[in-house]
Coordinates of all heavy atoms in Angstrom, one line a residue:
E614 N -21.6 26.7 11.5 CA -21.9 25.6 12.3 C -20.9 25.4 13.5 O -21.2 24.7 14.5 CB -21.9 24.3 11.5 CG -23.1 24.2 10.6 CD -22.9 25.0 9.3 OE1 -21.8 25.6 9.1 OE2 -23.9 25.1 8.5
A615 N -19.7 26.0 13.3 CA -18.7 25.8 14.4 C -19.0 26.7 15.6 O -18.3 26.5 16.7 CB -17.3 26.1 13.8
F616 N -19.8 27.7 15.4 CA -20.1 28.6 16.4 C -18.7 29.3 16.9 O -18.1 30.1 16.2 CB -20.9 28.1 17.6 CG -22.3 27.9 17.4 CD1 -22.8 26.8 16.6 CD2 -23.3 28.8 17.8 CE1 -24.1 26.6 16.3 CE2 -24.6 28.7 17.5 CZ -25.1 27.7 16.9
Y617 N -18.3 29.0 18.1 CA -17.1 29.6 18.7 C -16.0 28.7 19.1 O -15.1 29.0 19.9 CB -17.5 30.5 20.0 CG -18.6 31.4 19.6 CD1 -19.9 31.2 20.1 CD2 -18.5 32.5 18.8 CE1 -21.0 32.0 19.9 CE2 -19.5 33.4 18.6 CZ -20.7 33.1 19.1 OH -21.8 34.0 18.7
A618 N -16.1 27.4 18.6 CA -15.1 26.4 18.9 C -14.4 25.8 17.8 O -14.9 26.0 16.6 CB -15.8 25.3 19.7
G619 N -13.3 25.2 18.0 CA -12.6 24.5 16.9 C -11.6 25.4 16.3 O -11.4 26.5 16.6
P620 N -10.8 24.9 15.3 CA -9.7 25.6 14.7 C -10.2 26.8 13.9 O -11.4 26.9 13.4 CB -9.1 24.5 13.7 CG -10.2 23.6 13.5 CD -11.0 23.5 14.7
V621 N -9.4 27.8 13.8 CA -9.6 29.1 13.1 C -8.8 28.9 11.7 O -7.7 28.7 11.7 CB -9.1 30.3 13.9 CG1 -9.3 31.6 13.0 CG2 -9.9 30.3 15.2
A622 N -9.6 29.3 10.7 CA -9.0 29.1 9.3 C -8.1 30.3 9.0 O -8.5 31.3 8.3 CB -10.1 28.9 8.2
F623 N -6.9 30.3 9.6 CA -6.0 31.5 9.4 C -5.8 31.6 7.9 O -5.6 32.8 7.4 CB -4.6 31.2 10.1 CG -4.8 31.1 11.5 CD1 -4.2 30.0 12.2 CD2 -5.4 32.0 12.3 CE1 -4.3 29.8 13.5 CE2 -5.4 31.9 13.7 CZ -4.9 30.7 14.3
D624 N -5.6 30.5 7.1 CA -5.2 30.6 5.7 C -6.3 31.3 4.9 O -5.9 32.1 3.9 CB -5.0 29.2 5.1 CG -6.2 28.3 5.4 OD1 -6.9 28.5 6.3 OD2 -6.4 27.4 4.5
I625 N -7.6 31.2 5.2 CA -8.6 31.9 4.4 C -8.5 33.4 4.7 O -8.6 34.2 3.8 CB -10.0 31.3 4.8 CG1 -10.1 29.9 4.2 CG2 -11.1 32.2 4.1 CD1 -11.4 29.2 4.4
I626 N -8.3 33.8 6.0 CA -8.2 35.2 6.3 C -7.0 35.7 5.6 O -7.1 36.9 5.0 CB -8.1 35.4 7.8 CG1 -9.3 34.8 8.5 CG2 -7.9 36.8 8.2 CD1 -9.3 34.9 10.1
R627 N -5.9 35.1 5.6 CA -4.7 35.5 4.9 C -4.9 35.6 3.4 O -4.5 36.7 2.8 CB -3.5 34.6 5.2 CG -2.2 35.0 4.4 CD -1.1 34.0 4.7 NE -0.5 34.3 6.0 CZ 0.4 35.2 6.2 NH1 0.9 36.0 5.2 NH2 1.0 35.4 7.4
T628 N -5.6 34.7 2.8 CA -5.8 34.7 1.4 C -6.6 36.0 1.0 O -6.3 36.7 0.0 CB -6.5 33.4 0.9 OG1 -5.8 32.3 1.1 CG2 -6.9 33.6 -0.6
V629 N -7.7 36.2 1.8 CA -8.5 37.4 1.5 C -7.7 38.7 1.7 O -7.7 39.6 0.8 CB -9.7 37.5 2.4 CG1 -10.5 38.7 2.3 CG2 -10.6 36.3 2.2
R630 N -6.9 38.8 2.7 CA -6.0 40.0 3.0 C -5.1 40.2 1.8 O -5.0 41.3 1.4 CB -5.3 39.8 4.3 CG -4.5 41.1 4.7 CD -3.6 40.8 5.8 NE -2.6 39.8 5.5 CZ -1.5 40.1 4.7 NH1 -1.2 41.3 4.3 NH2 -0.6 39.2 4.5
E631 N -4.4 39.2 1.3 CA -3.4 39.3 0.3 C -4.1 39.6 -1.0 O -3.6 40.4 -1.8 CB -2.7 38.0 0.2 CG -1.7 37.7 1.4 CD -1.0 36.5 1.4 OE1 -1.3 35.6 0.5 OE2 0.0 36.2 2.1
A632 N -5.4 39.1 -1.3 CA -6.0 39.4 -2.5 C -6.6 40.8 -2.6 O -6.8 41.3 -3.7 CB -7.2 38.4 -2.7
L633 N -6.8 41.4 -1.4 CA -7.4 42.8 -1.4 C -6.5 43.7 -0.5 O -7.0 44.1 0.6 CB -8.9 42.6 -0.8 CG -9.8 41.7 -1.5 CD1 -11.1 41.6 -0.7 CD2 -10.1 42.3 -2.9
P634 N -5.4 44.0 -1.0 CA -4.4 44.8 -0.2 C -4.9 46.2 0.0 O -4.4 46.9 0.9 CB -3.2 44.8 -1.1 CG -3.7 44.6 -2.5 CD -4.9 43.7 -2.3
G635 N -5.9 46.7 -0.6 CA -6.4 48.1 -0.4 C -7.5 48.2 0.6 O -8.0 49.3 1.0
L636 N -7.9 47.0 1.2 CA -8.9 47.0 2.2 C -8.4 46.5 3.5 O -7.7 45.5 3.5 CB -10.1 46.0 1.7 CG -11.2 45.8 2.7 CD1 -12.0 47.1 2.8 CD2 -12.1 44.6 2.2
Q637 N -8.7 47.2 4.7 CA -8.3 46.7 5.9 C -9.1 45.5 6.4 O -10.3 45.5 6.4 CB -8.5 47.8 7.0 CG -7.9 47.4 8.4 CD -7.9 48.5 9.4 OE1 -8.8 49.4 9.5 NE2 -6.8 48.6 10.2
I638 N -8.4 44.4 6.6 CA -9.0 43.2 7.1 C -8.7 43.0 8.6 O -7.5 43.0 9.0 CB -8.6 41.9 6.3 CG1 -8.9 42.1 4.8 CG2 -9.2 40.6 6.9 CD1 -10.3 42.1 4.5
I639 N -9.7 42.8 9.4 CA -9.5 42.5 10.8 C -9.7 41.1 11.1 O -10.8 40.5 10.7 CB -10.5 43.4 11.7 CG1 -10.2 44.9 11.5 CG2 -10.4 43.1 13.2 CD1 -11.2 45.6 10.7
A640 N -8.7 40.4 11.8 CA -8.9 39.0 12.0 C -9.6 38.7 13.4 O -9.4 39.6 14.3 CB -7.5 38.4 12.1
N641 N -10.4 37.8 13.4 CA -11.2 37.5 14.6 C -11.4 36.0 14.8 O -11.5 35.3 13.8 CB -12.6 38.2 14.5 CG -13.6 37.8 15.5 OD1 -14.7 37.4 15.2 ND2 -13.2 38.0 16.8
G642 N -11.4 35.5 16.0 CA -11.7 34.2 16.4 C -10.6 33.4 17.2 O -9.5 33.3 16.8
G643 N -11.0 33.1 18.5 CA -10.2 32.3 19.3 C -9.0 33.0 20.0 O -8.2 32.3 20.6
V644 N -9.0 34.3 20.0 CA -7.8 35.0 20.7 C -8.2 35.2 22.2 O -9.1 36.0 22.5 CB -7.6 36.4 20.0 CG1 -6.5 37.1 20.7 CG2 -7.2 36.2 18.6
T645 N -7.6 34.3 22.9 CA -7.9 34.4 24.4 C -6.6 34.6 25.2 O -6.7 34.6 26.5 CB -8.5 33.0 24.8 OG1 -7.6 32.0 24.5 CG2 -9.8 32.8 24.2
S646 N -5.5 34.9 24.6 CA -4.2 35.1 25.3 C -3.3 35.8 24.4 O -3.5 36.0 23.1 CB -3.6 33.7 25.7 OG -3.3 33.0 24.5
L647 N -2.2 36.4 24.9 CA -1.1 36.9 24.2 C -0.6 36.0 23.2 O -0.3 36.4 22.0 CB 0.0 37.5 25.2 CG 1.2 38.0 24.5 CD1 0.9 39.2 23.7 CD2 2.3 38.3 25.5
E648 N -0.4 34.7 23.6 CA 0.2 33.8 22.6 C -0.7 33.6 21.4 O -0.2 33.5 20.3 CB 0.4 32.4 23.4 CG 1.0 31.3 22.5 CD 1.1 30.0 23.3 OE1 0.7 30.0 24.4 OE2 1.6 29.0 22.6
K649 N -2.0 33.5 21.7 CA -2.9 33.2 20.5 C -3.1 34.5 19.7 O -3.4 34.4 18.5 CB -4.3 32.7 21.0 CG -4.2 31.4 21.7 CD -5.5 30.9 22.2 CE -5.4 29.4 22.6 NZ -6.6 28.9 23.3
Y650 N -3.0 35.7 20.4 CA -3.0 36.9 19.6 C -1.8 37.0 18.6 O -2.0 37.3 17.4 CB -2.9 38.1 20.6 CG -2.6 39.4 19.9 CD1 -3.6 40.2 19.2 CD2 -1.3 40.0 20.0 CE1 -3.3 41.4 18.7 CE2 -1.0 41.2 19.4 CZ -2.0 41.9 18.7 OH -1.7 43.0 18.2

């Protein structure tokens, strides 16, 4: 429902990455600058 606006749930992406260390997780959402990257 958020489409492309609003906060990005960094914590959920991190939780998945930490729970599945054998799988490459690529993060996506809201990266529009070096600072946000």
